[in-house]
Amino acid sequence: MQNKKKKRLVMRISILAVLLAAVSYTIYSSVVGEERNLVKAGDQAPDFELTDLNGDVHRLSDYEGKGVFLNFWGTWCKPCEKEMPYMENQYQKFADQGVEIIAVNVGESQYKVSNFANKYNLTFPVVRDEHKDVMDAYSIGPLPTTLLISPEGEVTQVITGEMSEEMIASYMESIKPES
Amino acid sequence: MNELVCKCGHVNKEGSELCLQCGRTLTEQAEQRKTSDVMRYEGMARRSQTYKRSVIDRIWNFFSSVKVGVWLIVITLVASAIGTIFPQELFIPRNIDPAAYYEDRYGLAGKIYYVLGFHNLYGSWWYMLLIAAIGTSIIIASLDRGVPLYKALKNQRVERHGSFLKRQRIYSEYVTDRPVEKLEEIGAGLEKKKYKIRKENNHLLAEKGRFSRWGPYVNHTGLIIFLIGAMLRFVPGMYVDEQLWIREGETLNIPGTDQQYFLENKGFTLETYNEGQDSDVFDATLQRVGPVAKNFQTDAVLYKREEGDIAGSANREMEPLFEQPIQVNIPLKFDGFALYQTDYIENEFHTMSFTLENKETEESFGQFTVDLFNPEQDGLYDLGNGYQVEMMGLYPDFSGFEDGEPQSASPLPNNPAFLFKMITPDKPDGEVAFIGIQQNLEPLGENEYALSFSGLETRDVSGLTVRKDLTLWILALGGAIFMIGVVQGAYWNHRRVWLKAGEDGKLYVAGHTNKNWFGLKKDLSASFEGTDLAIPEDHQELKDSKGTAKEEQERGTTGQHQ
């Protein structure tokens, strides 16, 4: 009899555990929702190949060994515009320390993008994701979104929204390769 | 643990109402309860009702309760209904803050609706928790009842105690000189009616349609499979529901395919019914309501990218797989995906043309065209003879000035505006003009030259829904099993007749069915034919018609029930 009772308890616990696991998974998935599909910290950064305003092709995997500050932006996006000069300032400081900035414009014309780059005298590579392929590969939602990629090619952080100059500096510091 | 020892000597589990062996009632309470209630689960102990020791047992008992299950369903129904009062967040305009939208549009009620989270009800965690609780309740309540019921029916005895028979709704005793013979006769009659007959020591059990008792459990199994299917939609790769907006001439990657598949839009067509061209029967309607859409179609080409190719514009050389027009209800299908024609935007601005003129003489010095999506890289438009226009700024979605600078709210050409510098032989430094829709400014003073709008090219944007659903067959399977369970329980009944040729020379007959007592009585009347015995009485009916029962007795039409 004692044995039977134990068996029943084990049975009930396992059924309830399976139900609880299924329910928690479902609710977790639905609450996290779309974000689940995003490229997130810890993921290997998807490789891409895009052309900059001078016609040079940039491939992410070529930057292995360097930290990459990958910024997705658009000319119409105010916060993007605001952080561009900050990025330019910090680029001047970090470029020779092995941190690269790649600014990916999402779907705009060469005219608009180069006008913008000229206006702010941007010296880091500004590439155009003409068909939003890379944006999709990184499942970028709102702009601006910035990904910090370690010298090993791993995404260490995803930042959505505007950044201050101090933030940019500390982010770039965080992906500096050890020398 | 208390055991219930029946008079017949059988040891029954705690909580049992009827003895599994002989059918005697075991407790005072069981004695008092209605026979139909006791018989629902064959008088078996519902285990949950008996052990209340650990937390696990308490949780188990909570979900096992039908009362709890009914309340969960009621709460879910009420919540679901409330969710339909105002539109869900999904269906309100995209660009408005929902918090403001509900309050502005629906007042205080809207605000409450939003604050309580009804604007996103069906995906909210608490709604899902309710559904999950119902699922849990279904599983546990079914296990708790189905298993004992199955055991009871599997092990049921032919011999039943007289008190069990007497309690049944259909019951009669007959005084006859050959009870065993009569028992055989009635048994043969029931066998003809497709009853399964078991005999033991002058007792007989005739049973038919037992499987209908499994109906609710089969039904619940279907429901659980359905819920599992719905749950699987959250597993990556099982379910995709995305929107793809694609302009004529564009080739874009298809969302949800992990950059594997690309689609080209070779053209979008919206056809309408025309008087004269289409059948005459449409004419009257067309005159009354105006144009009616006949066809929405995207001529699409599907591409697959080579395995291992990387994302980006440099790598877009792809082999087309096939070409197919996508129409409403005729999706383009590939690799488990389907692309449906669901939306469109007609006549999005694509290019705009301008003519350079002298304001006074109205003399024209040539025309140029600006592709809004891909203007000249340097913004220079040479008109020859020393006339040139430099586009200093392009604002596809002009939204006003900020610090004297024109702004664009988005990259979409909803409201294009331009800042041009007109360079002419007599004005080599150029004159600046700001041109927008219904807006012409000369920010740097009066100009001699002007640009006039002289042409517009538009194209259509096709809205496609990308859908992949690997859970459909599970939902269909669950639905089918659900229906089988309903049919099983609804169109068949579990009928049983107990016969006992007593040592006292009497014949006892009792009948029970879970529903459709009329059918049982019909079976009985057929099998009683030729036995000289009256059909057993239905005591429910007798009770219902107390008044008339007396008359019947006087007329002597009833049997010998005491």
Side-chain angles (χ1 to χ4, degrees):
Chain A
M1 221 57 197
Q2 201 62 36
N3 201 23
K4 222 171 160 188
K5 230 183 281 175
K6 207 171 172 187
K7 223 172 101 187
R8 189 189 63 236
L9 187 71
V10 170
M11 189 76 169
R12 287 185 177 184
I13 289 178
S14 31
I15 292 174
L16 285 172
V18 169
L19 288 173
L20 187 72
V23 171
S24 340
Y25 174 78
T26 310
I27 291 180
Y28 170 78
S29 311
S30 81
V31 169
V32 174
E34 308 262 288
E35 282 169 47
R36 196 181 42 164
N37 302 322
L38 280 175
V39 172
K40 32 184 194 306
D43 293 353
Q44 199 64 24
D47 201 7
F48 62 85
E49 200 170 78
L50 289 173
T51 311
D52 71 13
L53 299 172
N54 309 318
D56 298 328
V57 173
H58 295 262
R59 187 172 175 153
L60 182 69
S61 50
D62 292 342
Y63 287 93
E64 224 180 271
K66 279 182 165 186
V68 176
F69 186 94
L70 186 64
N71 177 256
F72 288 86
W73 66 283
T75 62
W76 73 93
C77 145
K78 293 285 158 236
C80 306
E81 189 168 359
K82 214 171 150 191
E83 65 193 16
M84 277 296 171
Y86 305 153
M87 278 159 58
E88 178 59 35
N89 289 344
Q90 295 307 315
Y91 179 65
Q92 298 300 339
K93 282 185 202 156
F94 281 94
D96 48 7
Q97 297 178 46
V99 180
E100 192 64 49
I101 290 182
I102 302 177
V104 182
N105 175 275
V106 175
E108 288 183 282
S109 61
Q110 170 94 9
Y111 168 82
K112 290 245 29 156
V113 180
S114 55
N115 261 16
F116 184 95
N118 291 339
K119 181 174 166 190
Y120 289 102
N121 293 315
L122 303 179
T123 55
F124 50 77
V126 176
V127 296
R128 287 199 307 128
D129 184 18
E130 208 182 332
H131 307 283
K132 303 186 184 176
D133 290 349
V134 178
M135 184 188 185
D136 183 78
Y138 279 81
S139 42
I140 300 297
L143 297 179
T145 294
T146 303
L147 290 100
L148 305 180
I149 299 167
S150 74
E152 292 77 38
E154 188 189 283
V155 177
T156 61
Q157 204 173 339
V158 181
I159 305 114
T160 39
E162 197 183 323
M163 300 169 290
S164 68
E165 187 155 1
E166 294 78 51
M167 286 161 80
I168 292 171
S170 74
Y171 289 146
M172 293 185 78
E173 184 70 43
S174 76
I175 48 173
K176 208 166 74 174
E178 290 161 39
S179 45
Chain B
M1 183 171 111
N2 295 320
E3 283 159 348
L4 296 166
V5 183
C6 179
K7 282 182 194 135
C8 72
H10 185 75
V11 178
N12 292 280
K13 283 169 185 159
E14 184 188 6
S16 301
E17 292 178 310
L18 299 177
C19 173
L20 190 60
Q21 175 97 9
C22 68
R24 279 188 184 93
T25 46
L26 293 168
T27 58
E28 200 60 31
Q29 289 105 301
E31 190 77 52
Q32 302 299 321
R33 289 186 69 205
K34 271 167 57 188
T35 305
S36 59
D37 289 344
V38 174
M39 289 296 285
R40 182 167 299 136
Y41 304 111
E42 299 292 310
M44 285 292 275
R46 261 164 295 149
R47 309 293 295 282
S48 64
Q49 307 298 305
T50 55
Y51 309 106
K52 288 177 176 143
R53 298 208 174 83
S54 64
V55 181
I56 294 290
D57 287 339
R58 278 170 200 281
I59 296 174
W60 190 269
N61 296 349
F62 176 77
F63 284 113
S64 173
S65 158
V66 168
K67 215 186 255 174
V68 168
V70 169
W71 273 109
L72 286 171
I73 292 170
V74 168
I75 294 168
T76 310
L77 277 177
V78 171
S80 306
I82 292 173
T84 64
I85 294 176
F86 298 135
Q88 291 286 294
E89 193 181 21
L90 194 64
F91 302 108
I92 68 167
R94 276 286 162 98
N95 45 1
I96 305 174
D97 178 27
Y101 178 85
Y102 283 99
E103 193 173 359
D104 292 351
R105 184 94 197 261
Y106 305 108
L108 183 65
K111 189 179 181 181
I112 295 169
Y113 199 75
Y114 177 80
V115 169
L116 293 182
F118 285 108
H119 65 294
N120 185 18
L121 175 73
Y122 306 107
S124 69
W125 63 268
W126 64 270
Y127 186 80
M128 297 183 78
L129 214 57
L130 273 176
I131 301 284
I134 291 177
T136 310
S137 156
I138 287 170
I139 291 173
I140 290 180
S142 299
L143 279 177
D144 233 26
R145 290 168 175 74
V147 173
L149 178 65
Y150 175 79
K151 278 188 188 158
L153 287 176
K154 198 176 168 225
N155 301 325
Q156 72 179 314
R157 296 300 173 102
V158 177
E159 282 179 53
R160 290 291 175 131
H161 189 256
S163 69
F164 174 85
L165 301 182
K166 205 169 173 179
R167 278 179 63 93
Q168 299 304 322
R169 178 169 153 183
I170 287 183
Y171 173 74
S172 280
E173 297 172 23
Y174 302 91
V175 179
T176 166
D177 40 357
R178 293 162 309 173
V180 180
E181 240 167 81
K182 293 285 175 198
L183 178 142
E184 295 287 344
E185 260 176 66
I186 296 166
L190 286 167
E191 196 160 20
K192 250 186 229 155
K193 284 272 157 197
K194 304 216 169 73
Y195 281 75
K196 280 193 194 118
I197 309 292
R198 282 166 64 197
K199 276 182 261 183
E200 258 171 45
N201 306 329
N202 292 339
H203 288 71
L204 183 147
L205 167 62
E207 188 182 16
K208 169 162 139 177
R210 189 197 285 180
F211 85 108
S212 95
R213 294 289 285 275
W214 316 140
Y217 305 99
V218 172
N219 170 283
H220 284 173
T221 308
L223 210 56
I224 294 302
I225 292 175
F226 193 95
L227 281 178
I228 290 173
M231 208 174 73
L232 283 178
R233 290 196 162 186
F234 291 102
V235 175
M238 292 295 278
Y239 181 72
V240 171
D241 183 8
E242 302 266 5
Q243 192 73 15
L244 171 63
W245 284 101
I246 183 164
R247 298 184 171 87
E248 290 176 305
E250 276 185 331
T251 303
L252 293 179
N253 75 73
I254 300 170
T257 65
D258 285 331
Q259 303 258 320
Q260 265 196 64
Y261 291 96
F262 287 71
L263 194 78
E264 180 185 356
N265 177 359
K266 293 187 96 172
F268 174 81
T269 2
L270 166 56
E271 283 175 88
T272 51
Y273 286 94
N274 285 316
E275 275 184 71
Q277 281 175 28
D278 293 295
S279 170
D280 294 342
V281 297
F282 300 131
D283 287 358
T285 311
L286 291 176
Q287 281 159 13
R288 189 160 45 85
V289 302
V292 173
K294 182 184 185 180
N295 182 25
F296 302 92
Q297 177 174 326
T298 304
D299 295 313
V301 188
L302 182 73
Y303 295 89
K304 185 171 186 176
R305 208 174 59 181
E306 291 284 315
E307 206 77 32
D309 269 1
I310 57 166
S313 51
N315 241 317
R316 292 188 124 244
E317 301 280 307
M318 291 169 288
E319 283 296 310
L321 286 182
F322 61 88
E323 194 171 336
Q324 188 203 311
I326 302 172
Q327 290 171 314
V328 174
N329 291 333
I330 308 177
L332 184 149
K333 292 191 169 178
F334 63 95
D335 195 14
F337 287 88
L339 296 173
Y340 292 90
Q341 183 73 58
T342 48
D343 209 345
Y344 69 97
I345 296 170
E346 261 196 313
N347 301 329
E348 190 192 59
F349 291 166
H350 183 197
T351 69
M352 291 176 96
S353 303
F354 301 91
T355 311
L356 181 66
E357 290 171 340
N358 185 297
K359 269 190 189 169
E360 217 160 290
T361 63
E362 293 189 3
E363 191 188 345
S364 167
F365 301 99
Q367 183 185 322
F368 65 98
T369 302
V370 180
D371 182 336
L372 297 171
F373 289 84
N374 191 19
E376 289 296 322
Q377 290 190 13
D378 50 9
L380 289 179
Y381 295 88
D382 197 354
L383 303 178
N385 302 325
Y387 292 90
Q388 198 182 35
V389 175
E390 185 193 344
M391 182 164 70
M392 297 164 71
L394 166 62
Y395 313 94
D397 193 2
F398 176 63
S399 56
F401 293 93
E402 216 169 89
D403 298 329
E405 228 184 295
Q407 306 292 320
S408 182
S410 79
L412 303 173
N414 297 327
N415 180 26
F418 309 82
L419 192 63
F420 287 121
K421 186 188 262 181
M422 301 167 287
I423 298 158
T424 48
D426 48 328
K427 298 271 182 189
D429 291 339
E431 294 177 319
V432 174
F434 178 81
I435 298 177
I437 290 170
Q438 312 221 329
Q439 197 166 22
N440 276 307
L441 298 175
E442 294 175 356
L444 304 180
E446 191 82 9
N447 293 340
E448 272 180 45
Y449 292 87
L451 286 168
S452 70
F453 179 64
S454 63
L456 173 69
E457 257 182 59
T458 63
R459 57 181 171 175
D460 302 330
V461 192
S462 178
L464 303 170
T465 293
V466 184
R467 181 65 63 78
K468 177 188 183 184
D469 194 348
L470 298 183
T471 67
L472 270 183
W473 68 272
I474 302 174
L475 300 183
L477 180 74
I481 292 175
F482 180 98
M483 282 315 295
I484 289 170
V486 170
V487 170
Q488 199 176 329
Y491 290 100
W492 278 271
N493 332 114
H494 182 215
R495 297 173 188 167
R496 274 176 296 175
V497 178
W498 292 273
L499 298 171
K500 175 181 176 183
E503 281 155 14
D504 51 4
K506 278 185 183 172
L507 177 68
Y508 300 86
V509 181
H512 181 78
T513 180
N514 61 336
K515 59 175 73 149
N516 189 5
W517 293 82
F518 178 75
L520 175 63
K521 279 185 268 181
K522 247 180 96 185
D523 285 349
L524 282 171
S525 81
S527 47
F528 268 65
E529 218 164 86
T531 57
D532 302 331
L533 299 176
I535 298 154
E537 285 164 347
D538 181 343
H539 295 279
Q540 186 72 40
E541 239 165 49
L542 286 178
K543 224 192 276 170
D544 289 348
S545 52
K546 260 181 211 156
T548 52
K550 218 178 175 187
E551 287 170 36
E552 277 177 22
Q553 241 162 17
E554 279 163 3
R555 276 192 269 119
T557 48
T558 47
Q560 295 182 332
H561 174 248
Q562 303 151 346

